[in-house]
Amino acid sequence: MASHTSRGLLSLGRISASALGLQRPLSRVTYATNVSTNYSAGKTGLPDRGAGKFARRPRRAPGEPRTEKMPVDQDWTAVYPAAAPFRPGSVPLPVRMGYPVKRGVPPEKKGNLELIKIPNFLHLTPAAIKKHCEALKPFCTEWPSALDTDARCDAHFPIKAESTDYVSAGPSVRNPAARTVHLKVKLSSLNLDDHAFKKMLKLVGERYCRDTDTLTITADRCPLRQQNHDHAMYLLTVLYHESWKTEPWEAEKSVADMEEYSWEDSPSQRNLLDTLVRVEAAGEGGGGGEEVREQLLGRREVQEYKDSVTRLKNEGESESTVMLYKEAVKKVLNL
Amino acid sequence: MSGRYALDSGCVVKVPRALGACSANKTCNIIRSRLPLASSTYFHTATVFSSQPSSITVTKEPDALFQRVSLLVKGHDKSVLDSYELFATMAAKELGIAISKVCELPKDTERFTLLKSVHIFKNHRVQYEMRTHYRFIELSHLTGSTAQVYLEYVQRNLPEGVAMEVTKTAMEKVPDHILKPMWEEDPIDNKLSQG
């Protein structure tokens, strides 16, 4: 039944066309009706669109792709002005991508999903980048020419504040690690005297690196980066002012608290002077106590011994320091 | 102190240089004559050189100074990172930014082994791996405005599936309150703390 009505409708619809004498629509009509007669009423699966009320207009053949009409010297930034998926009809390149079948070649670009999946940089050709940068240039400022080298930068701007930004795709744009701030200062650039420097080292502990003379303060206890930066500056200020203060209990500093080894009033000095005094006494048979000690201290070999022992203790054991110590001992004891 | 550049909301930049403007306008006209569609399709080129004049405001706030800005780009595909590195380095060169280092860090591979079957068959497993490739670009001596411009440009054109970490080292002067210890001026505070 449906097929009969459809044929009738089709014929009605095409009357005007046939009146004009066009042959093609008639042939199309016959094609459509042929299709509709095949679909009998028994088949209830898919609705027979060909015989339905709204006759499906047959698809027109796709024209030739745009790549054929593209001139060689065209403006590519107009073809791909922004990030867009790969369009085989817009890219005049014979690109092939994909794993080839046996004894075959990689598939062509037409209908190639691999080319669409991979991010393309067709919108970022050198010409496009130059155009973009030309437009962005007015917003950039120049670096001051007086700060070419790192040394000059450190001299004028000794405090460095380091922070990290994170860009990634995911359920959230935020990254909790972005709020940390590292403040790095060279203690030589701060106004610290000897006592203040030593007290500062004791206050900061592990945050100071001896090799680079850098104090690193890391702040991440506040939720915002600006707050962490202010907190780090506050910590630096407090450390500085506290290290200049001299508390009464600091007078109880003992030899164990000293940062560096000093030879004066050390067991090494006492031992050496005792030994030398006894040597002198054995040689000459008598002499004053204190004056002899001072005389001995003034001697060159004793000074050399003092230097070598101080170096050994402060710098640690290495070939040069141990050799120096050996030479000094030999000279002092006249070996 | 150099000023900070800010774009007025809704306005569009005007290219001040005559040479750039001439050639750009030419191409702009060509584009317009060919396809009189909405200019939004060519927002990169057409809207930049629009006829509406705009102003670049210079604020009094001093510009930040970055001694080093380092970009660490991570992705699963090495060729995508290669192209991105080309783009980033070319953009830096065009904007006049000094590039101190560009290198490729060794990739990280995360592997794990799972059971192939839903139930039993412990001896049959399947192994997966995820490879993360890295690219490290270090730029030096950038002002705050330049850094903002460059980073926004480079981050807007970050391809899909690529992540980036930007570490900025800002330089600052020693603040006034750290120049001298305060105990010299206010000995009373010292006494109070001791007591």
Side-chain angles (χ1 to χ4, degrees), chain A residues 148-160:
Chain A
D148 346 324
T149 57
D150 274 342
R152 281 201 205 150
C153 294
D154 291 342
H156 294 282
F157 298 91
I159 298 185
K160 322 273 175 185

Side-chain angles (χ1 to χ4, degrees), chain B residues 5-21:
Chain B
Y5 292 110
L7 183 61
D8 283 353
S9 59
C11 283
V12 136
V13 71
K14 178 185 172 187
V15 177
R17 289 181 210 145
L19 289 167

Side-chain angles (χ1 to χ4, degrees), chain A residues 247-254:
Chain A
E247 304 278 347
W249 44 260
E250 283 183 40
E252 296 163 23
K253 192 176 182 186
S254 64

Side-chain angles (χ1 to χ4, degrees), chain A residues 61-335:
Chain A
E64 59 170 14
R66 194 172 144 199
T67 52
E68 318 275 315
K69 299 176 224 158
M70 278 180 175
V72 179
D73 56 348
Q74 71 173 334
D75 183 23
W76 183 254
T77 56
V79 181
Y80 266 88
F86 182 85
R87 288 184 290 264
S90 302
V91 179
L93 298 166
V95 190
R96 287 182 171 267
M97 182 149 163
Y99 197 79
V101 281
K102 260 192 214 172
R103 290 176 308 162
V105 289
E108 57 173 13
K109 64 178 178 176
K110 197 174 161 194
N112 195 330
L113 193 63
E114 295 295 320
L115 281 166
I116 299 173
K117 285 195 299 195
I118 197 81
N120 65 61
F121 285 79
L122 293 162
H123 58 291
L124 293 172
T125 50
I129 298 172
K130 286 195 174 77
K131 269 196 189 166
H132 299 157
C133 290
E134 280 297 311
L136 293 171
K137 265 282 193 191
F139 293 98
C140 301
T141 46
E142 261 189 43
W143 181 261
S145 49
L147 299 167
D148 346 324
T149 57
D150 274 342
R152 281 201 205 150
C153 294
D154 291 342
H156 294 282
F157 298 91
I159 298 185
K160 322 273 175 185
E162 212 176 272
S163 56
T164 316
D165 295 321
Y166 298 88
V167 182
S168 67
S172 165
V173 186
R174 320 262 171 211
N175 192 316
R179 61 172 206 267
T180 49
V181 173
H182 303 274
L183 214 72
K184 291 192 174 158
V185 197
K186 279 214 163 99
L187 288 188
S188 48
S189 56
L190 295 176
N191 178 19
L192 290 167
D193 73 349
D194 201 39
H195 160 262
F197 181 75
K198 288 192 177 143
K199 187 163 176 190
M200 173 78 93
L201 295 192
K202 286 217 184 285
L203 283 171
V204 299
E206 273 187 11
R207 294 176 188 84
Y208 177 73
C209 171
R210 272 199 183 271
D211 302 324
T212 54
D213 184 35
T214 319
L215 164 67
T216 309
I217 298 175
T218 306
D220 73 336
R221 56 167 64 184
C222 306
L224 296 180
R225 187 188 293 163
Q226 183 59 39
Q227 293 171 348
N228 279 316
H229 179 264
D230 294 338
H231 181 62
M233 291 303 288
Y234 160 75
L235 285 175
L236 183 67
T237 315
V238 163
L239 280 168
Y240 178 79
H241 291 296
E242 286 295 314
S243 61
W244 272 98
K245 253 204 279 187
T246 312
E247 304 278 347
W249 44 260
E250 283 183 40
E252 296 163 23
K253 192 176 182 186
S254 64
V255 175
D257 297 323
M258 297 285 177
E259 295 86 7
E260 276 181 348
Y261 176 82
S262 69
W263 195 70
E264 289 82 29
D265 302 326
S266 76
S268 170
Q269 186 196 32
R270 262 183 283 124
N271 290 339
L272 178 70
L273 289 174
D274 286 339
T275 319
L276 288 175
V277 159
R278 264 189 241 146
V279 162
E280 297 276 318
E284 292 166 4
E290 283 300 313
E291 295 148 11
V292 180
R293 279 178 182 264
E294 278 173 26
Q295 231 181 16
L296 287 169
L297 272 173
R299 268 206 267 169
R300 204 167 43 91
E301 293 92 13
V302 174
Q303 291 295 318
E304 270 187 33
Y305 180 76
K306 167 194 165 186
D307 286 333
S308 69
V309 169
T310 321
R311 274 187 83 174
L312 247 183
K313 292 268 184 178
N314 285 338
E315 290 169 26
E317 284 180 25
S318 75
E319 273 214 44
S320 54
T321 45
V322 173
M323 292 298 285
L324 260 174
Y325 180 72
K326 176 176 129 187
E327 298 300 316
V329 163
K330 280 207 279 193
K331 279 191 199 155
V332 158
L333 299 175
N334 299 324
L335 293 168

